[in-house]
Amino acid sequence: MKLTVWTYEGPPHVGAMRIATAMKDVHYVLHAPQGDTYADLLFTMIERLKDRPPVTYTTFQARDLGGDTAELFKSATKSAFERFKPNAILVGSSCTAELIQDDPGGLAEAIGLPVPVIPLELPAYQKKENWGASETFYQLVKTFTCSDEGQIGQVKKPICNILGPTSLGFRHRDDVEEIKKLLTVLGIEINVIAPLGASVLDLKKLREAKFNVVLYPEIANSAAIWLSKKFGQPFNKSLPYGVLGTNEFVKEILALAEISSSDSASETSLRNFNRSAWYSRSVDSNYLTNKRVFIFGDGSHVLAAKDVAIKEFGFSVVGIGTYSREMAREVRVSAESSGLKALITDDYLEVEKAIEETQPELILGTQMERHIAKRLGIGCTMISAPMHVQDFPSRYSPQMGYEGANVLFDSWIHPLMMGLEEHLLTMFREDFEFKDDVTPSHLSHEKSKFTEENKRAEDSEQVFSEINTCKVVWEKEAEDELKKIPFFVRGKARKNTESFASSRGFSKISIETLYDAKAFHAR
Amino acid sequence: MNTPADLIVEKEIKFDHKKNNLNSTSENNSYKQEILKEKGQREVFCGLTGIVWLHRKIQDAFFLVVGSRTCAHLIQSAAGVMIFAEPRFATAIIDEKDLAGLADANEELDRVVSQLLSRRPDIKLLFLVGSCPSEVIKLDLSNAAERLSKNYLPNVKVLNYSGSGIETTFTQGEDACLKSMVPEMQQSKGSKEKKLLIVGTLADIIEDQFSRLFKKIGIENFDFFPPRNSTDLPEVGKDSVFLLAQPFLAETATELEKSGAKHIPAMFPFGVQGSYEWFLSAAKEFGVSEEKVTTVLNPYISRAKHAVSKSLGLLEGKSVFFFPDSQLEVPLARFLHHELKMNLLEVGTPYLNKKLVAKELFKIPNETQISEGQDVERQLDRCINKNPDLIVCGLGLANPLEAQGFTTKWSIELVFSPIHGFDQAGDLAELFSRPMYRRKKIAALKPKKENFGVTQ
């Protein structure tokens, strides 16, 4: 049993729903208790889809458990087929149905439907949402690319599939648009985009591409690996995230398409779409140098965000982690290369602890890190699922490609205090309006009461001694001096000074210790 | 006041499911219409959802769901749009090890609870909330609650209830929660004075309004249940009478009767009529004359009537179709029909407790189809065929129906809004007229399917 305040991923059947809902003509019959239809709301409310997800639930109740739940499943499957006439049916269990052990696959088989029935084995007590989506997509791709045994020769034309975008994906809608534009400019044709918007017929056509573009490895890697083994379709490893990432991606895609860079005249002009490189270079961004950033999210977004943060925005990454265990190795390697230890966990409380310890000035994370950021009074931007309704925006807001890089610049910088205000706050501490540690004034409407409570808490001795587990005591004057340091770096300064003092065996911190520590830790 | 409805109510019926057969065979019941009972896919929430409002009401309580990742996902999808610095709910997610043997699961639970309580020393009341998985594997949470209570009292009381989908639908989670608190209420000693208990979660502002009105009527001795703090549980006993503020509290009512309290049958305080009748029922029980009640309440009645009438223009003569959700449907349909002159096509409810809504049922016109339970696809067919002007339904159906050109009112909001009493009657009417008004207001957008743009 695990104490879970927030969960980064839903159960695996939600992943399967994301695939079914993304596609056009697939129906999902889910053996599940009454109430599990809450998942429909993720699609109709959070993503604001206009149709009900193509999911039929058996919604059994306690009184059904004494009876024949298997029969209930069969009749639900039969009537779902008759009503919706899908071209393929997915069948599976939710966590509770897994316990009662009816066999959806076998039961659906027994009905003898005239369309393919794909049984999903999604172990709800071991695996999670992304795994469920990935497994479902893989099973669908396997079923439909194999069913048609006609021979297809080696594809010569530069034509590709885009794999990975789903329903409920973080900015998948606009990423796909952006990458479609990019590929078109490069002279690459798009065969099939799947699962988002694809039909069963489209899946059968997957083989007609020369290569695959995987945008979301969490969803599409297993399908891409299978397609590469079965039909020799190679796929990309880099992701078009940030300017440098997109450059790298373009290079890789041109190689996969066997187009030489010189053939693609428009390749360089592509970069004209981008403004973020200049914005980051402009002197206004100088103060962003070495801003301390903590990054958490799914594996691929975290890896990509780290590169952008360091190489494009000049931040310093002080913590990095992911909840995607499948990506643990890559994230660890990347963290080590920056002298960090990756945090691989799906435990919100551990993430909270790590953020408290590193005292970043900005958190790049998920909806869950927003809760932590609120508690600690730190700026936060979303870079990855899970997300809520505000991250399915109406406006065009890709994360990928050159326009995506523009979006990243604006949205990551926004929560930080702006340069002039930061300078003035450091110089003058007693202004009645632009006070220490209040929300940056360009965000004043977002001012949270909590930041103030936090300040009060920090100022009160009692809480201070709780936070401060080491034995070093602050002299009154040093404590006052500490308060003159701007709020967003004060936490770090406190930690640095305390660790400096205890490493020297000091029992008291004076003003001089504070400045000694500052010199010691100077960047 | 010798209407048939009063006859039903005055015949005292205990909250016993088996005897609760006030159906059309009972000669006292004037409600002749067949009630459609359906079985099929149910598009409703499970009782765990009750946590979303209960944790706000009882401020020192913590709700620990013992369930799966699905349960955790449900609650955070429902509540997670609010950014919590310190959420007052969490899930102990069962994993494979726990499925292997039950003894282990109990130890695991103890460990999780101690971890939780050391993080949140401010908690006074901990609810272990049962879910579908915990019930299917027959994890005995009531035993666990007793064991843990022994360990943590007097600092923390641990209780248990089921919010599982297999047992409870949406607001029944509150019923189960309140029921679990009844045995914790002190037995009142000796019957000095009759005492009124107002049962069901109410918005704080409404509690305050109701307190003022009861005092004006001359009822001074009353308590609200649940209380805002778990340490302020009211007393209960033979001298207690209780008034339900919500129609979904059948189990809690039974439990209160077991403790000696007596139920006051009444309509529910929605709209002018319901609120008046609700106060009047209580007043009669306390021997207050109808005359006095009317005199005291008259200013509130006329104020409320005025507020309600503002929505009349948009709603009068319009048809409405209710999908089942919270058991509030029958009282709300009564309100819409009598005070806003709406035409009731179908009133769906997840459960129909005929005793509780007897007075309300009597007010529903005979041509209205009342349905209990659900087969969502067939109900959607019926709904679309009848082409209602307004559809009251859950969020899983609302946007898809809007996209087909229907006007909807999402029903969950009715549970999350202050809608009880005279001074909210106008707001309640407005909740239903707002979607109609909005439709008119943005008519230039031509909200038809073809003009909505693409989603994907």
Side-chain angles (χ1 to χ4, degrees), chain B residues 29 33 36 50 58 106 127 184 194 233 240 247 255 257 310 330 338 343 366 389 412:
Chain B
N29 195 336
Q33 179 77 23
L36 177 66
I58 315 170
N106 281 320
F127 287 105
E184 302 305 313
K194 200 181 268 184
L233 271 182
S240 309
E255 199 67 22
E257 284 183 341
K310 297 232 164 138
V330 171
H338 287 275
N343 177 17
N366 276 342
D389 297 311
I412 295 119

Side-chain angles (χ1 to χ4, degrees), chain B residues 73-339:
Chain B
H73 196 235
L74 157 80
I75 300 176
Q76 88 180 31
S77 307
V81 75
M82 296 180 278
I83 311 290
F84 290 90
E86 275 299 355
R88 293 195 290 265
F89 47 78
T91 310
I93 294 185
I94 296 170
D95 55 34
E96 277 203 306
K97 291 191 309 255
D98 306 308
L99 295 177
L102 290 184
D104 269 356
N106 281 320
E107 277 169 34
E108 284 289 288
L109 184 61
D110 293 4
R111 183 181 55 76
V112 165
V113 167
S114 93
Q115 190 188 349
L116 172 69
L117 292 179
S118 62
R119 185 182 154 87
R120 300 295 305 274
D122 51 325
I123 298 166
K124 298 274 181 293
L125 175 61
L126 174 67
F127 287 105
L128 301 179
V129 189
S131 67
C132 301
S134 75
E135 274 160 33
V136 168
I137 64 170
K138 300 199 174 4
L139 184 57
D140 191 343
L141 291 183
S142 69
N143 235 329
E146 260 177 52
R147 181 179 68 238
L148 288 162
S149 265
K150 270 183 206 148
N151 289 350
Y152 291 104
L153 275 173
N155 297 327
V156 188
K157 175 85 203 165
V158 186
L159 296 177
N160 150 255
Y161 73 89
S162 165
S164 74
I166 56 177
E167 296 281 357
T168 58
T169 305
F170 195 30
T171 47
Q172 283 181 307
E174 174 172 334
D175 192 20
C177 173
L178 300 194
K179 182 190 173 190
S180 76
M181 293 168 80
V182 173
E184 302 305 313
M185 296 161 90
Q186 292 277 335
Q187 271 290 324
S188 51
K189 303 179 192 82
S191 48
K192 311 151 272 190
E193 198 188 341
K194 200 181 268 184
K195 190 171 148 186
L196 177 64
L197 208 55
I198 299 130
V199 183
T201 296
L202 291 170
D204 295 346
I205 187 168
I206 293 178
E207 281 189 8
D208 299 342
Q209 290 171 6
F210 283 2
S211 299
R212 290 196 293 271
L213 287 182
F214 278 120
K215 282 179 191 157
K216 280 193 178 168
I217 291 171
I219 302 175
E220 298 277 346
N221 197 8
F222 58 84
D223 280 310
F224 290 94
F225 177 62
R228 296 181 198 185
N229 274 304
S230 70
T231 45
D232 301 334
L233 271 182
E235 292 185 347
V236 72
K238 290 222 182 318
D239 48 352
S240 309
V241 290
F242 67 94
L243 197 54
L244 296 180
Q246 302 279 22
F248 45 74
L249 298 172
E251 300 269 325
T252 307
T254 314
E255 199 67 22
L256 284 166
E257 284 183 341
K258 274 192 213 158
S259 314
K262 192 184 124 200
H263 172 235
I264 308 172
M267 277 166 77
F268 289 91
F270 301 121
V272 185
Q273 194 182 16
S275 303
Y276 175 72
E277 207 278 345
W278 191 72
F279 279 106
L280 182 64
S281 303
K284 278 184 180 166
E285 184 67 35
F286 280 78
V288 181
S289 73
E290 181 163 358
E291 213 183 336
K292 176 166 185 194
V293 176
T294 312
T295 317
V296 169
L297 295 183
N298 255 339
Y300 298 90
I301 292 172
S302 48
R303 188 160 79 190
K305 275 187 177 161
H306 176 74
V308 170
S309 71
K310 297 232 164 138
S311 291
L312 206 56
L314 283 157
L315 296 179
E316 184 169 5
K318 296 285 177 7
S319 60
V320 59
F321 190 108
F322 279 87
F323 279 82
D325 188 51
S326 61
Q327 300 184 53
L328 292 171
E329 294 84 3
V330 171
L332 291 179
R334 180 265 301 158
F335 165 68
L336 290 181
H337 180 67
H338 287 275
E339 295 180 40

